[in-house]
Amino acid sequence: MAAESPIWRRVNTFSGPVPRSRHGHRAAAIRELLIVFGGGNEGIAEELHVYNTVSKQWFLPAVRGDIPPGCAAHGFACEGTRILVFGGMVEFGKYSNSLYELQASRWLWKKLKPKPPRNGVPPCPRLGHSFTLFGNKCYLFGGLANDSDDPNSNVPRYLNDFYELELQAVSGVKGWNIPETKGTAPSARESHTAIIYSSKGSYSPKLYIFGGMRGYRLGDLWQLDLETMTWTLPETKGPSPLPRSLHSANVIGNKMYIFGGWIPILMNEDKSNAFDNEWSCTNSMSYLNLDTMTWNGLVWERQEDGKASSPRPRAGHCAAVIGSRLYIWSGRDGYRKAWNYQVCCKDLWYLETEKPSTPSPVFLVKATLKSLHVAWHPLPAAESYLLQLQPEPTAPASPSALSSNQLSSANPPTIVPLKELQQGAAATLLELSGTAGAQAAQSTGSTALFQLQSGEEAAHTHQVTSHVPSYIEREDTSLKKPGCNESSTENSVDQNAACVAESKHCPLTGPPSTTGLVHTEQDPTANIAPHNQMTESTVKSEPMETELSNDAAPLPPKSQDQDNTTPATLTTTSVTSTKSNIQMGNTELADNQWYDVGIFKTLYSEVTHYYLPPVDGKGNVEPTNAPDYEDLKQQALTPGAAYRFRVAGINSCGQGQFSQVSEYKTCQPGFPGAPSSVKITKAADCIHITWEPPTSPSGKILEYSMYLAVRKNRSSTAVSSSQLAFIRIYRGTKIHCTVTSSQLSNALIDCTSRPAVVFRIAAKNEQGYGPATQIRWLQDAFKPRPPPVAAPQSTDKQPLELPDSTGTLKTKTET
């Protein structure tokens, strides 16, 4: 009996240069990116294609280095951001045993020359082999060789040899080895699949080989214990899949999913009058529970609208797992094999196997008097997101500005803990890429959506200009009314998205606006965000990632009896909650009630109001699973009020768990905004930071203060964002400052997500200090640096090494 089925979904909407359909290609996943290489259909494909599953866009990265020739039926293994390619067919009758490495962080190809094994010869040229990576080794098994000396003829020889390839850390390989194995090895074969699985709580990895071809289709399952190097035929339960070749096998959780491939036509129940030498493709799928060794078949019923509920039969397709989704693309359908006529599929599908995972907390992009622009990180398996808020009962806050003697530049450097500096401010974060690779990727249609490009050609000046990540769609595609106003001129999403989409709009000194979304660092103890919201920028010296960093300044707990004389305290806020219900206009809101803001396909919302649930005649809330927001009353956000936020992912399997709660506060009138358009320019022994003045409703800007994060505890090697401490390095009226290497020698390299030096800058008017902009200058993760030294400064400390001209300066800013 078939098990309860996961759900197939076809990707109908995407953009960019779609690769031509093919078979014999391979795919690997790097975070949310599906990387496709090789294969053929009227010629072998040579290009490297990338599909961003978040932005739903194909692009061609600008690769360089030892670019390999196109190949088909090759080995394709991925570890981190590097991919190894071995063997395959490079032209008809000509097979390869070359080994290439792709560093996807720089789109750099390199041909590798591993040492031959001490106990034998290196692998011969082949195709249809398996090439599986685990730990620091790749395992090569089987394949098909051509024993003919004439390149125009083909004398096939099936292989069952077994090699392991030892890898070097980060890049490169050491050499081949022929391990000594015990037990009976699998028979020679090609076009089989191999996966490696290690159960939780124990290190006992096992290699599983299924199916393949050796003149006829195979349906056997083999297991190799990689610790004892012993081959066995494991006992399984349940109906095993039909024998097949050119299928795919992928692991999600503790299940190995087998999909598609060629099966003998005599075993195809849909066929009659079959011939022994015929075969056809299938779209059947089974999975093996690798803990219980139980097979289960999966079936799908046709959708009510008559559309296909699963991919059509195919073989030679590619498949890769991103999160809990299994993506498949292209392949040949083989329906006309008997007439020597085959059709390659062009469709892209994914299998939804479970509900979305729990997202990270909602972070703040920008706060205004009556709106909160919030955002969240993408989930690999989410189709949309449910955003909810909960009003927090508040009393009027009394902000206090810094006195002049507290900000006096004559005072010695003062170490200020993060929570004292923020006093409930919310930090936001934005990122730029300065790589030539990003620009080249844009020219080939990627629109810099894949931000793993390198920075061999560094741009020394980078301007922070955008507030939205490159993968956010320009139009509001919310499924239901989101309760937000995307037309706000204070944070124009469309303009910034246009900068991402069109490189001519981007600054010449920086990248094509491959920015990350402004976001907030969260603290589990966070409760209140006062009127002076903090914004954050980041300058980057490492390969950029599409995933946004999750390191923003935490919000402090509710302020109680705070000391307003704390040095470098921007503001203080005292909040008292005395009611069990919150009174908003004529509507009384329950203290523990969560309210929908909307359901979104985007990763952000400018929240101006939320929806009140329907109530019956007695005033009781009516339960509803799918509310129609058009019929619900709206409640507007109010100035100076705090709101809790949470978000949950939604897909075809249902709604996932809500995120942890984060809390932000709308602004109060009169205070200045956050400094914006930050630029960092590197000099020989210092860096120059410039910014644009913010708006100031209450008079002119009186001064700016710039702070540098330093190590609070000399003995600690890693600190969390709540342990950051700051010293003031600039106070004045100018909109630029210089940070010397001696000052940078005391900087903390914050490694809570990606290594970065952290600055903060805020403006002051007659009302006091407004929101701060936090700048994260991202450092090169691969270049060794002197350990940062805690303040106070000392003359015997080495200055912090600045990225040289071969590094990439990338900037992240939040406003």
Side-chain angles (χ1 to χ4, degrees):
M1 181 178 179
E4 182 179 353
S5 300
I7 301 174
W8 280 109
R9 285 289 179 262
R10 180 170 180 171
V11 181
N12 293 310
T13 304
F14 45 79
S15 60
V18 181
R20 74 177 191 264
S21 58
R22 64 192 66 184
H23 58 92
H25 52 295
R26 300 290 185 261
I30 299 180
R31 290 184 289 275
E32 69 269 30
L33 302 166
L34 184 70
I35 300 177
V36 178
F37 180 69
N41 181 19
E42 298 180 356
I44 295 178
E46 297 179 349
E47 303 88 359
L48 184 77
H49 290 266
V50 180
Y51 177 72
N52 188 315
T53 60
V54 173
S55 64
K56 297 182 179 180
Q57 181 170 13
W58 287 98
F59 66 92
L60 285 161
V63 296
R64 55 198 175 89
D66 305 324
I67 300 176
C71 56
H74 47 286
F76 206 61
C78 179
E79 179 215 25
T81 59
R82 71 168 167 176
I83 294 175
L84 295 172
V85 179
F86 174 76
M89 181 175 68
V90 293
E91 59 184 72
F92 179 78
K94 183 179 179 181
Y95 306 158
S96 169
N97 62 349
S98 298
L99 178 66
Y100 290 86
E101 176 187 79
L102 172 67
Q103 286 288 345
S105 60
R106 295 175 290 167
W107 296 126
L108 177 65
W109 283 105
K110 182 179 180 181
K111 187 172 184 179
L112 305 179
K113 297 181 180 179
K115 296 179 181 179
R118 297 179 180 178
N119 53 345
V121 297
C124 66
R126 65 189 66 201
L127 61 71
H129 48 281
S130 59
F131 194 58
T132 315
L133 191 149
F134 186 83
N136 67 334
K137 292 182 180 179
C138 274
Y139 297 92
L140 169 67
F141 177 79
L144 182 70
N146 184 4
D147 284 345
S148 174
D149 295 330
D150 183 359
N152 295 321
S153 64
N154 190 7
V155 180
R157 176 168 58 93
Y158 294 100
L159 305 171
N160 71 338
D161 48 357
F162 182 65
Y163 290 83
E164 59 183 17
L165 176 67
E166 187 173 358
L167 311 180
Q168 293 178 344
V170 182
S171 177
V173 294
K174 294 182 180 180
W176 292 105
N177 179 45
I178 303 177
E180 294 183 4
T181 60
K182 306 172 185 177
T184 302
S187 59
R189 65 191 67 202
E190 56 103 1
S191 298
H192 56 281
T193 54
I195 62 97
I196 295 178
Y197 174 73
S198 181
S199 59
K200 292 182 179 180
S202 64
Y203 184 84
S204 57
K206 293 177 175 60
L207 172 72
Y208 292 93
I209 290 176
F210 175 76
M213 173 71 173
R214 58 165 306 169
Y216 55 89
R217 267 68 195 179
L218 301 170
D220 48 352
L221 176 71
W222 291 84
Q223 173 184 289
L224 175 66
D225 189 316
L226 295 181
E227 283 195 342
T228 63
M229 283 294 169
T230 303
W231 288 104
T232 57
L233 279 167
E235 294 184 3
T236 61
K237 308 170 187 175
S240 59
L242 297 175
R244 64 191 65 205
S245 64
L246 288 173
H247 54 285
S248 59
N250 302 85
V251 176
I252 302 177
N254 65 343
K255 298 179 178 66
M256 177 178 69
Y257 289 86
I258 303 292
F259 173 76
W262 291 105
I263 61 173
I265 204 168
L266 284 176
M267 306 188 71
N268 189 339
E269 297 178 356
D270 298 334
K271 298 289 183 178
S272 60
N273 300 323
F275 297 96
D276 291 344
N277 59 349
E278 289 189 358
W279 55 85
S280 68
C281 291
T282 181
N283 64 347
S284 61
M285 172 173 273
S286 299
Y287 71 82
L288 175 67
N289 186 314
L290 296 168
D291 292 330
T292 63
M293 299 305 293
T294 302
W295 285 105
N296 289 278
L298 299 175
V299 295
W300 294 272
E301 298 180 357
R302 201 165 188 84
Q303 298 178 357
E304 294 180 0
D305 56 6
K307 295 182 179 179
S309 58
S310 63
R312 73 177 192 253
R314 68 192 65 207
H317 54 281
C318 69
V321 174
I322 297 180
S324 58
R325 284 179 176 173
L326 172 62
Y327 282 83
I328 68 164
W329 179 73
S330 200
R332 56 183 177 182
D333 64 12
Y335 274 138
R336 302 293 184 266
K337 179 66 177 177
W339 292 270
N340 294 320
Y341 177 71
Q342 300 181 71
V343 177
C344 285
C345 309
K346 298 180 181 180
D347 48 354
L348 173 66
W349 291 75
Y350 63 84
L351 181 72
E352 202 79 89
T353 62
E354 60 185 45
K355 297 178 182 178
S357 57
T358 303
S360 58
V362 174
F363 54 86
L364 182 68
V365 176
K366 189 173 184 178
T368 66
L369 292 176
K370 296 183 179 181
S371 70
L372 291 169
H373 190 167
V374 297
W376 48 92
H377 296 300
L379 295 175
E383 298 172 354
S384 58
Y385 299 87
L386 171 62
L387 179 65
Q388 293 185 335
L389 65 73
Q390 184 183 82
E392 168 73 9
T394 60
S398 177
S400 61
L402 298 177
S403 63
S404 59
N405 63 344
Q406 290 172 342
L407 284 177
S408 172
S409 58
N411 290 342
T414 305
I415 298 180
V416 184
L418 172 73
K419 293 184 179 181
E420 293 179 358
L421 177 64
Q422 280 187 240
Q423 295 298 337
T428 54
L429 183 65
L430 186 61
E431 179 173 328
L432 290 184
S433 167
T435 68
Q439 296 172 348
Q442 279 225 351
S443 66
T444 57
S446 74
T447 65
L449 289 178
F450 184 35
Q451 301 171 357
L452 290 173
Q453 295 86 347
S454 83
E456 294 294 334
E457 301 82 7
H460 285 185
T461 304
H462 306 280
Q463 183 175 8
V464 177
T465 57
S466 179
H467 297 278
V468 294
S470 55
Y471 49 71
I472 289 185
E473 302 174 40
R474 292 181 56 187
E475 297 180 0
D476 181 6
T477 56
S478 52
L479 297 178
K480 301 184 180 180
K481 286 192 175 182
C484 66
N485 179 13
E486 294 300 336
S487 62
S488 170
T489 58
E490 295 188 15
N491 194 22
S492 175
V493 173
D494 283 1
Q495 290 179 358
N496 291 302
C499 185
V500 173
E502 300 181 23
S503 59
K504 66 181 180 181
H505 292 169
C506 300
L508 295 178
T509 56
S513 190
T514 56
T515 61
L517 216 171
V518 205
H519 66 275
T520 307
E521 304 178 6
Q522 300 301 333
D523 190 319
T525 61
N527 284 323
I528 297 299
H531 63 84
N532 60 326
Q533 306 299 328
M534 177 171 294
T535 61
E536 179 173 74
S537 333
T538 308
V539 182
K540 210 173 173 185
S541 301
E542 64 172 21
M544 199 172 198
E545 303 175 358
T546 48
E547 114 182 67
L548 300 174
S549 63
N550 196 18
D551 56 344
L555 300 178
K558 293 182 181 180
S559 306
Q560 295 180 354
D561 301 326
Q562 296 189 17
D563 184 4
N564 292 344
T565 64
T566 302
T569 298
L570 298 183
T571 60
T572 57
T573 305
S574 178
V575 178
T576 306
S577 301
T578 58
K579 297 181 180 180
S580 59
N581 293 324
I582 306 168
Q583 193 73 26
M584 295 283 190
N586 297 326
T587 306
E588 186 178 84
L589 306 180
D591 196 13
N592 296 322
Q593 176 71 39
W594 285 92
Y595 302 92
D596 287 359
V597 177
I599 298 176
F600 303 87
K601 282 189 174 180
T602 57
L603 298 171
Y604 59 91
S605 171
E606 188 172 346
V607 182
T608 59
H609 59 270
Y610 53 94
Y611 295 96
L612 302 177
V615 294
D616 56 22
K618 298 181 180 180
N620 299 320
V621 175
E622 297 180 354
T624 176
N625 293 326
D628 186 353
Y629 293 126
E630 294 184 355
D631 299 332
L632 299 181
K633 294 182 179 180
Q634 298 180 4
Q635 179 69 50
L637 272 60
T638 57
Y643 297 89
R644 300 186 180 100
F645 286 90
R646 67 181 186 180
V647 68
I650 301 173
N651 64 17
S652 303
C653 293
Q655 176 184 313
Q657 296 293 322
F658 277 103
S659 65
Q660 293 184 356
V661 175
S662 53
E663 186 165 345
Y664 307 107
K665 192 175 183 182
T666 52
C667 295
Q668 291 181 351
F671 290 86
S676 61
S677 297
V678 179
K679 287 184 180 179
I680 291 187
T681 304
K682 174 185 170 295
D685 57 351
C686 63
I687 61 172
H688 302 287
I689 305 178
T690 62
W691 57 89
E692 290 186 2
T695 57
S696 178
S698 301
K700 66 178 183 179
I701 300 296
L702 300 179
E703 65 181 23
Y704 300 93
S705 287
M706 174 76 74
Y707 295 86
L708 171 67
V710 296
R711 187 175 298 279
K712 186 177 180 182
N713 187 340
R714 182 184 298 265
S715 62
S716 62
T717 57
V719 295
S720 65
S721 56
S722 62
Q723 295 175 307
L724 291 177
F726 288 81
I727 58 172
R728 185 174 58 246
I729 57 175
Y730 170 77
R731 173 184 172 232
T733 57
K734 297 180 180 180
I735 57 173
H736 58 84
C737 71
T738 297
V739 184
T740 65
S741 58
S742 60
Q743 290 173 318
L744 289 171
S745 66
N746 293 310
L748 167 71
I749 304 297
D750 178 25
C751 296
T752 50
S753 62
R754 286 169 286 181
V757 176
V758 182
F759 301 93
R760 285 183 183 166
I761 180 174
K764 177 184 178 183
N765 66 6
E766 295 176 354
Q767 292 286 339
Y769 272 90
T773 296
Q774 176 161 300
I775 305 161
R776 290 181 53 81
W777 183 24
L778 299 184
Q779 303 298 297
D780 190 347
F782 301 106
K783 180 181 294 185
R785 297 179 178 276
V789 182
Q793 299 183 13
S794 174
T795 57
D796 60 348
K797 304 302 180 185
Q798 295 295 323
L800 181 69
E801 180 184 357
L802 300 179
D804 57 25
S805 59
T806 63
T808 301
L809 291 179
K810 302 179 184 176
T811 3
K812 235 182 185 175
T813 358
E814 330 169 1
T815 47

